[in-house]
Amino acid sequence: MYNNHKMYKGGTIYSPRAASVIRYSGLIIPILLITYGVLIQFNIINVQHAIDNFSFFSICFWWLVISIVQFSIPIKSRLDILLRLTAYHLLAGAYLLFVSGIASPLSGFWLLLMLGSYVYFSERGLQLSTFAFILLIAIDISLKHSSGLASITYDLVALIAILVISIVTMSVTRSQEVTKEALKQSKAQESLQRDRVITIVNNMTDAVLSVDMEGIIRVYNAASLNLLDTNDSLNGHHIDEILPLTDKDNSDISLFKEVQATKTVIKRDDTYFTFDDGEKMRLEITYSPIRSSYSRSKKSETHDGYIIIMRDVTKAKSLEEERDEFISVISHELRTPITIAEGTISNVQVMMEHPDITHDMLKDAVNVAHDQVIFLANMVNDLSALSRAERGVADNAEDIDIKELANRLHDKYSESAKAKDLHLDLDLSAKLGKVHVSRLYLEEMLQNFITNSIKYTKKGGVKIIVKQSDGEVTFSIKDTGIGISKSDQAKIFHKFYRSEDYRTRETSGTGLGLYVAAKLAHKLGTKIDVTSRLNFGSTFSFTLPEAK
Ligand code: ADP
């Protein structure tokens, strides 16, 4: 009962192999039965139940028909199987009753009918087939009630044997089905669990790679491709080929060797990966051997490869290092003025005890201390401006009237320019509109340039120039001061940088002003432009879009 093209699945233990066995049995067994019947019919084998030739050949004929149909025509439907099985049962019944007799080993073939019924109609099929056999025995006993105890006993034994086999088959397959169901459920659980883990791993921002014992990549997540900036599959490649690493001195590191040597979880953040374009990425790598419960159950010491988790820490590390350096420089920069101020003030305290110290001497000393305190105050101002810019506290933009701003700055710094005999001029476009930026940042930048220009100019003057054209507003502060050499121009925006020029050294300054200004310019979406010639003066300028 097997269809090469379209197998009809009915029973519970259905398998192509079982169907194929049944198909061939359905042909061979009737042929055997016919042959055996012929031997009986022609008295070569002696059996009591010989019947007339016509009945015998009718049974043989139908056996042949059904076995050939069964063998060659594929099953189409459940009804089809039902009809075939019924025909087989009827013919087998007739054969056992009238040709061979139930008291013959051939009644064992009924087991095959039971099996076939079970395959296609599960337990109900088995039960019906068993019931048919009981019916057969009943008919047999009633037909030969006079033929003695021996043959009735044989019938009953055959019946019991069939019943036992039927019950055993049912209980065995039932327990098998329970196990199968449990297996199916645990498989479903397992695949759910697996899907969950895959979802988590794929949504991680860290790159996760799993390599086998040979270092070949077997599994990786999407973040791995992002990290390595590639779309190519990593599967099947060796980890050292995909991830050649170096240490900070540029010496090669074999990640696989490192990983192989570890027995526990190791984390390191001192490795570098170099991209094709030469850019370096600092990686934090965590790796450990994978020990599956399977290999543990084998009690073996081996494991199943390694897991590698990576993250790009280039930025975090450089920020961290920058911060450390910044704190150390600041504490150094603060120490000098504090020491001077503190030393001078304690000097003043000592001097005050002496009657012959003049008022002027005290005044000079107090001035020195005062200058240092002013310096510290400036430094704190610069630092707080820097911190404001970095935290973005004054990021909110507003419309600023340019003319009003320029005039106000001019008024504010005229006094200090005059004190140095410098003229502070204003050069504004006839028509000036507004800019839409953070007022604090813009003012801080301009003040920075103006105070620098006044500070670094000995004669001449400083000009505040604001020009508007094509929807852009350019702010420039131009002076006729000491100027900045070409090599210094590249460095003046570095933090704490002050020119070595003695004229710069004559003035006091923190070296933070332009560093802060550059940060603020970045915040405003612009860049500071410097043009300068040593001894002729400098111009600092930047451009902002005009507010609509
Ligand atoms: P500070 O003025 O406190 O030293 P800044 O960061 O404002 O620090 O400036 C850095 C350096 O750039 C100064 O020390 C000085 O050498 C140079 N510099 C800045 N502005 C001018 C200018 N207008 N003319 C000449 N040199 C300048």
Side-chain angles (χ1 to χ4, degrees):
M1 298 184 197
Y2 173 76
N3 177 352
N4 263 330
H5 314 288
K6 203 169 72 181
M7 287 185 290
Y8 185 78
K9 297 188 181 185
T12 45
I13 58 157
Y14 177 85
S15 82
R17 201 146 153 219
S20 174
V21 168
I22 290 168
R23 182 174 172 235
Y24 279 92
S25 315
L27 178 70
I28 294 164
I29 290 168
I31 291 171
L32 283 176
L33 293 179
I34 292 168
T35 318
Y36 185 71
V38 170
L39 297 178
I40 294 170
Q41 201 61 23
F42 294 104
N43 283 326
I44 299 166
I45 294 176
N46 225 351
V47 169
Q48 282 179 357
H49 301 273
I51 49 169
D52 62 281
N53 277 345
F54 176 74
S55 309
F56 172 72
F57 284 114
S58 311
I59 291 174
C60 289
F61 171 74
W62 286 112
W63 259 143
L64 268 180
V65 171
I66 184 126
S67 60
I68 289 167
V69 166
Q70 160 61 21
F71 186 77
S72 48
I73 302 176
I75 298 161
K76 299 220 167 43
S77 65
R78 214 170 149 79
L79 181 66
D80 191 0
I81 305 171
L82 188 66
L83 290 176
R84 290 183 194 201
L85 269 173
T86 311
Y88 263 84
H89 277 84
L90 287 175
L91 275 168
Y95 186 91
L96 287 180
L97 279 178
F98 305 115
V99 181
S100 67
I102 291 180
S104 118
L106 294 186
S107 56
F109 284 128
W110 198 272
L111 287 175
L112 289 170
L113 288 179
M114 285 164 66
L115 180 67
S117 310
Y118 181 71
V119 166
Y120 289 100
F121 294 98
S122 20
E123 281 188 10
R124 181 50 57 84
L126 185 64
Q127 281 161 3
L128 279 175
S129 186
T130 312
F131 180 71
F133 192 73
I134 297 172
L135 208 66
L136 193 69
I137 299 280
I139 295 170
D140 193 48
I141 292 175
S142 71
L143 284 182
K144 56 184 182 184
H145 43 85
S146 55
S147 60
L149 199 63
S151 89
I152 292 175
T153 313
Y154 187 92
D155 278 9
L156 290 176
V157 169
L159 177 66
I160 290 165
I162 291 286
L163 280 177
V164 168
I165 289 169
S166 162
I167 289 165
V168 168
T169 314
M170 265 197 287
S171 50
V172 166
T173 49
R174 256 185 208 164
S175 76
Q176 253 184 0
E177 264 162 38
V178 171
T179 328
K180 250 195 210 164
E181 190 53 35
L183 201 69
K184 219 165 99 188
Q185 269 184 11
S186 92
K187 261 194 182 157
Q189 276 290 327
E190 203 174 283
S191 96
L192 180 70
Q193 200 63 16
R194 201 180 120 89
D195 289 349
R196 280 193 189 128
V197 172
I198 287 177
T199 312
I200 293 173
V201 170
N202 261 338
N203 284 302
M204 276 172 77
T205 43
D206 287 353
V208 182
L209 291 166
S210 153
V211 300
D212 64 15
M213 297 294 289
E214 270 72 51
I216 306 296
I217 299 173
R218 294 296 172 203
V219 181
Y220 58 90
N221 66 350
S224 309
L225 296 178
N226 289 344
L227 185 82
L228 299 173
D229 196 18
T230 177
N231 279 327
D232 300 340
S233 166
L234 308 180
N235 275 341
H237 292 277
H238 196 276
I239 183 74
D240 282 344
E241 169 204 339
I242 293 291
L243 211 71
L245 297 177
T246 50
D247 62 12
K248 66 175 189 310
D249 303 322
N250 242 350
S251 315
D252 290 337
I253 298 177
S254 160
L255 180 57
F256 184 53
K257 272 197 194 135
E258 300 281 325
V259 164
Q260 259 183 324
T262 177
K263 298 233 174 330
T264 53
V265 182
I266 303 280
K267 187 176 192 166
R268 58 188 290 184
D269 63 2
D270 55 347
T271 54
Y272 295 82
F273 173 79
T274 312
F275 289 98
D276 290 343
D277 61 3
E279 197 188 317
K280 270 195 172 187
M281 165 168 68
R282 182 160 175 175
L283 287 175
E284 179 191 278
I285 304 187
T286 311
Y287 47 86
S288 76
I290 306 170
R291 283 181 214 285
S292 74
S293 45
Y294 177 68
S295 66
R296 225 175 296 147
S297 71
K298 287 190 296 182
K299 288 206 173 80
S300 69
E301 268 307 293
T302 60
H303 37 80
D304 306 282
Y306 310 90
I307 190 105
I308 300 169
I309 303 168
M310 295 178 296
R311 128 179 348 175
D312 178 0
V313 289
T314 320
K315 212 165 163 196
K317 280 290 154 192
S318 67
L319 275 178
E320 207 174 284
E321 281 163 5
E322 201 178 321
R323 197 175 311 129
D324 289 350
E325 187 202 318
F326 194 68
I327 290 171
S328 103
V329 174
I330 285 199
S331 39
H332 174 80
E333 294 289 326
L334 289 176
R335 201 174 299 128
T336 317
I338 288 173
T339 315
I340 299 174
E342 196 272 330
T344 324
I345 290 168
S346 42
N347 251 351
V348 169
Q349 281 172 333
V350 176
M351 282 153 86
M352 285 194 317
E353 305 288 307
H354 286 263
D356 50 344
I357 293 293
T358 64
H359 182 263
D360 280 349
M361 286 159 89
L362 279 176
K363 195 176 161 193
D364 285 348
V366 170
N367 279 345
V368 171
H370 183 243
D371 284 350
Q372 295 304 319
V373 173
I374 295 281
F375 173 87
L376 286 171
N378 285 338
M379 176 108 111
V380 170
N381 271 344
D382 284 342
L383 287 174
S384 75
L386 186 65
S387 134
R388 268 200 304 274
E390 271 172 356
R391 282 178 298 133
V393 280
D395 276 352
N396 40 333
E398 58 182 287
D399 277 347
I400 301 166
D401 185 324
I402 303 164
K403 199 177 227 158
E404 187 271 328
L405 173 70
N407 278 312
R408 200 153 42 77
L409 288 174
H410 179 259
D411 292 350
K412 187 171 175 185
Y413 289 100
S414 288
E415 274 306 307
S416 47
K418 214 158 151 202
K420 277 191 78 182
D421 254 348
L422 303 172
H423 46 88
L424 181 64
D425 299 326
L426 261 182
D427 176 2
L428 307 178
S429 284
K431 226 182 112 242
L432 277 177
K434 291 182 172 170
V435 285
H436 187 78
V437 288
S438 154
R439 180 183 289 277
L440 191 77
Y441 294 168
L442 178 61
E443 282 193 14
E444 223 149 54
M445 276 173 77
L446 290 169
Q447 288 180 22
N448 228 308
F449 298 149
I450 298 170
T451 49
N452 272 352
S453 284
I454 295 174
K455 187 158 71 173
Y456 299 113
T457 304
K458 288 196 162 158
K459 56 177 192 296
V462 178
K463 207 187 262 182
I464 302 170
I465 310 163
V466 191
K467 298 280 163 194
Q468 182 175 328
S469 73
D470 298 333
E472 289 195 324
V473 185
T474 303
F475 295 83
S476 309
I477 310 295
K478 188 180 167 105
D479 64 52
T480 55
I482 60 173
I484 307 162
S485 70
K486 273 268 171 292
S487 68
D488 273 349
Q489 284 177 29
K491 300 179 204 154
I492 52 175
F493 294 102
H494 296 175
K495 55 182 174 288
F496 299 113
Y497 184 80
R498 302 200 75 213
S499 168
E500 294 297 333
D501 191 311
Y502 73 97
R503 292 166 298 181
T504 295
R505 295 292 154 163
E506 277 173 4
T507 65
S508 82
T510 59
L512 276 174
L514 289 183
Y515 175 69
V516 174
K519 290 247 174 213
L520 296 176
H522 182 73
K523 284 254 165 199
L524 300 186
T526 181
K527 242 187 105 228
I528 300 167
D529 233 20
V530 193
T531 47
S532 181
R533 236 181 99 199
L534 213 51
N535 303 321
F536 283 89
S538 320
T539 306
F540 286 79
S541 52
F542 60 93
T543 302
L544 292 173
E546 186 200 346
K548 297 268 156 23

